[in-house]
Structure formats: structure tokens, C-alpha cells
Amino acid sequence: MARILVTGGAGYIGSHTCVELLNAGYEVIVFDNLSNSSEESLRRVQILTGESLVFIKGDIRNQHELNQVFDDYQIDAVIHFAGLKAVGESQQIPLTYFDHNITGSIQLIKAMEKAGVFKLVFSSSATVYGEHNPSPYNEEMPLSMPNNNYGYTKLIVEQLLQKLSQADQRWSIGLLRYFNPVGAHKSGQIGEDPQGIPNNLMPYVTQVAVGRREKLSIFGHDYPTKDGTCERDFIHVVDLAKAHVFAVINRLKQTGCRAWNIGTGMPISVLQIKETFEKVNCVAIPTTFVERRAGDLAAFYADATRAEQELGWKPQYSLEDMLADSWNWQKQNPNGYN
Ligand code: NAD
Ligand code: UFG
């Protein structure tokens, strides 16, 4: 079976993807600097699967460390999660984001080329569709400039990967455009563990539920949506993780560069998340409505038919599963991996 290098594999989506790769029989090598994660997630991945993986602590900006990995292990394909992801922080420290997300990706590509490894699956985001495309987003739509520096790094890396594959036929690149990943492994042993105050909705909700935060603030309730709050396309992290396995299988057979939306195609509002979470989990989420958050779009969701047609991937989990599994993880791990 193929051997997969997973950069950022100790993180939220990476750890769930390691579970799916190991369950599918792949060999897994994780390369992560642990700047936003803990080795504990990987220990639990191995317990859950009964399989072992190799962990290498290193930084994707470090060419020497990367070259060493490719010298030490024969790698068949790379899944590239490593990077920084906080939209607000990317506005404060853009250069740090350019360095990790753009320079880091270039260093990885250079190390791959040097080692003769040309199969890559990249973590992109729905943010590359910019502000003006109507939902549902499909992969034929022209991309446009995201309104924040984090999104900008995803657009740049997508574009340079496109150009690379056009110039050199040896490359086979999959761009997975994630919508809003939530949920956790059914066991509650691995999940999302943000440092400090969560930026994203779901970990904020679960931290209110567990008593770590007083109340949820809903940013804006005067949007042109069904209940006035923003609508997003929430996707269970296990479904998202499985999409990576399908993408690797596809890339091991194909060449070129291809993008796939990974979402459910169902717009769900912020208020619906709060209310369904309360209902499914029988726990109250004290809530207040506050001003809109700068930069938020009213609504966006995926047309995910291409992923189904070309990868054979289809989401399996319901909204109720997403909310029950998020809570199961948080309840069992009130302070995350600490
Ligand atoms: P995460 O922070 O949990 O995982 C990222 C991992 O990368 C962490 O383990 C971190 O320690 C590691 N890392 C960061 N910089 C590194 C570097 N320079 N060298 C080596 N390792 C480094 O985030 P996640 O939610 O699992 O996201 C994974 C990927 O998916 C990211 O590229 C992110 O931008 C992308 N993405 C996430 C979302 C989301 O909402 N979670 C949405 C769209 C795209
Ligand atoms: N929200 C709240 N209160 C909170 C947190 C969020 O009301 O405490 C709302 C936001 O205003 C937004 C919705 O919940 O309407 C979802 O917000 P998130 O921050 O969870 O997610 P975003 O849709 O803003 O961001 C996601 C990914 C980014 C990506 C972006 C655009 O997290 O990586 O989509 O694709 F860049």
C-alpha cells in the first residue's frame, strides 16, 4: 500500500485524515511543528486504529528538514494541511501567514520535486471563490480575491499549483476546497482543540456548553437569509477526512490539477446551529445577538456534485451527527488535549 506524507497531520483535520488513511491500509508519516496541535492527537489516532504511524517534528519552511524526510522515506503522495488558519490573525500579522502558508508550501513543493514525488492533495478553502460568486459555488466559477490575508494565501497557493502542473506534466495535484468543517470522531477521542478564544462558531458553541465561556455571541441577525443570521455549509470532519482518501486514490492514477468542493450543499444558519445543538444534546447555549463581524458573507454553500462524480465521495453524516459528535468530544475533553 502507498505511503503518504501528511503535513500538519497532528491538527484537527489532519488527525481525522490519519485515522481514515490508516483504516484504509496506507502507511502514514506525519510532519508537523506542533505550533497549533499536540502529539497526544497522534497517540490517540494510533490507539483508535490499532495501527502505528511515524511522527516527525519539523517545520515546512525548513528545506533541510523536509529534504531529510524524503531522503529517509520513500513517499508516494503528500497531503498538505500544515499552515495557519485564523482569519482575524492573518490581518494582524500578514507576513507570518505568507511565510507559513505560501513559503512553506513552496518549500514543500521543492522538496517533493527534488525527491521525484509529484502527487499532492492540498487543503484549500471555499474562501477562494471570493465575495461575488453566487451560491452554490461550483468549481467552474472564476476565483476572486478573498477579503482577508488567510484566504489570499489559499488563492495564491492554488494558482501556483495550477501553473506548476501546466508547466510540468509529472505533477498530479488535487485542490480540496473545504466549506465549514465541524464534528469529531465518533469515539470522542480526537477533535478540534483551538488555542485561546475560538474564532470559529462550533468550538465556541461547545466551549459555552461545557462552561468554559459564558455565552455565544451571534454576529449579526439582519442578513438577507431565512432567519437573519449567516448561513454556511457545515461538513462533518470525518466526511472531509474520507474525501482526502478518495482524492489520494484519484491522484495516484491521474495527472494534472483538479479542484473539488467538499461540502454538503446544505445552507445551515448560525441560529439553526445553536438551536439544533441544544435539541440534539439537551444542553442550553446562552446566546446574545451582537453586531456583524467584519468580512463575513451572508451565505455560501457548495455544489459538491463534481466530487461525487469524479471521486465517488459523498457526505454520510447529518447535521445532528455533526453536533452530537462535536459535543461528545468536548464533553469528554473539556480542556481539549491538555
Ligand atoms: P490545525 O491548526 O488544527 O492544523 C494545522 C496543523 O499544521 C497544526 O497541527 C499545526 O501545528 C501545523 N503547522 C502549522 N504551521 C506549520 C509549519 N510551518 N510547519 C509544520 N506544521 C505546521 O488546522 P485544521 O483546521 O486542521 O486545518 C488544516 C488545513 O485545512 C489548513 O491548511 C487550513 O488552512 C485548511 N482549512 C481549514 C478550515 C477549517 O475551518 N478548519 C477550512 C478551510 C481550510
Ligand atoms: N459566528 C458567530 N459567533 C462566533 C463565531 C462565528 O456568530 O462566535 C458566525 C460567523 O459570523 C459566521 C459563522 O458563524 O457567520 C461561521 O463562522 P466561522 O468563523 O466558524 O467560519 P467562517 O465561515 O467565517 O470561516 C470559514 C473557515 C475559514 C474560511 C472561511 C471562508 O473557518 O477557514 O470559512 O471560506 F476562510
Side-chain angles (χ1 to χ4, degrees):
M1 198 57 127
R3 186 181 282 151
I4 315 296
L5 174 66
V6 184
T7 75
Y12 172 45
I13 306 168
S15 56
H16 287 82
T17 302
C18 288
V19 168
E20 298 307 321
L21 287 168
L22 290 168
N23 282 342
Y26 290 93
E27 284 186 48
V28 173
I29 299 186
V30 170
F31 184 84
D32 195 306
N33 67 2
L34 302 181
S35 62
N36 197 38
S37 54
S38 142
E39 219 179 321
E40 176 63 12
S41 65
L42 297 175
R43 194 183 70 81
R44 296 186 187 186
V45 163
Q46 294 173 91
I47 291 171
L48 284 173
T49 59
E51 300 288 338
S52 54
L53 54 73
V54 174
F55 171 61
I56 298 158
K57 188 170 178 198
D59 196 298
I60 50 166
R61 295 167 300 168
N62 186 320
Q63 194 71 64
H64 172 73
E65 287 176 357
L66 280 172
N67 286 339
Q68 193 64 48
V69 176
F70 288 97
D71 284 348
D72 290 348
Y73 299 92
Q74 201 191 325
I75 307 285
D76 297 294
V78 178
I79 305 180
H80 177 33
F81 293 105
L84 304 181
K85 63 164 184 177
V87 171
E89 185 185 62
S90 77
Q91 299 301 93
Q92 314 300 323
I93 48 169
L95 191 54
T96 305
Y97 273 68
F98 301 157
D99 193 28
H100 284 261
N101 293 8
I102 303 174
T103 310
S105 295
I106 293 173
Q107 298 290 57
L108 174 66
I109 297 160
K110 280 160 67 178
M112 288 176 68
E113 186 177 66
K114 182 164 180 285
V117 180
F118 294 99
K119 311 281 186 191
L120 174 66
V121 174
F122 173 62
S123 293
S124 187
S125 162
T127 192
V128 298
Y129 290 106
E131 294 184 66
H132 304 299
N133 278 309
S135 278
Y137 294 157
N138 71 63
E139 297 87 347
E140 299 294 326
M141 287 174 168
L143 304 184
S144 68
M145 186 62 87
N147 63 7
N148 62 76
N149 293 321
Y150 162 75
Y152 174 70
T153 67
K154 292 292 175 192
L155 181 65
I156 293 292
V157 174
E158 271 210 14
Q159 289 177 337
L160 68 86
L161 291 173
Q162 293 270 11
K163 289 191 185 304
L164 187 67
S165 73
Q166 280 159 14
D168 184 341
Q169 308 298 314
R170 290 174 300 175
W171 283 96
S172 177
I173 297 168
L175 309 171
L176 296 191
R177 295 181 182 151
Y178 311 161
F179 283 70
N180 289 58
V182 296
H185 190 268
K186 279 272 170 244
S187 64
Q189 286 300 296
I190 56 172
E192 187 169 14
D193 181 21
Q195 314 292 307
I197 301 170
N199 301 298
N200 296 115
L201 178 64
M202 187 51 60
Y204 208 102
V205 168
T206 58
Q207 289 194 11
V208 171
V210 84
R212 274 171 72 182
R213 314 261 159 221
E214 192 191 334
K215 58 177 185 264
L216 170 70
S217 296
I218 293 187
F219 302 137
H221 62 295
D222 56 352
Y223 283 98
T225 56
K226 53 183 181 278
D227 61 23
T229 66
C230 290
E231 291 171 346
R232 295 288 183 270
D233 182 337
F234 296 93
I235 173 84
H236 197 295
V237 68
V238 172
D239 276 329
L240 175 58
K242 288 182 173 160
H244 292 79
V245 179
F246 284 96
V248 163
I249 292 168
N250 176 282
R251 289 298 93 187
L252 287 170
K253 290 190 293 219
Q254 311 269 339
T255 57
C257 184
R258 194 78 174 148
W260 294 285
N261 288 338
I262 307 295
T264 64
M266 279 187 313
I268 302 291
S269 77
V270 175
L271 196 56
Q272 220 178 327
I273 289 284
K274 165 205 147 60
E275 288 173 350
T276 316
F277 187 95
E278 291 181 318
K279 200 166 117 209
V280 168
N281 297 318
C282 300
V283 52
I285 306 294
T287 300
T288 176
F289 291 99
V290 299
E291 289 295 292
R292 290 181 178 196
R293 184 173 71 177
D296 275 340
L297 301 185
F300 62 84
Y301 52 99
D303 172 345
T305 47
R306 184 190 276 187
E308 184 176 351
Q309 284 164 359
E310 296 182 0
L311 300 179
W313 171 87
K314 217 177 146 177
Q316 305 293 325
Y317 291 99
S318 67
L319 178 63
E320 285 73 17
D321 293 325
M322 300 181 209
L323 301 178
D325 294 342
S326 293
W327 178 226
N328 185 35
W329 149 255
Q330 187 75 79
K331 219 173 19 180
Q332 289 190 47
N333 304 270
N335 295 309
Y337 290 110
N338 291 323

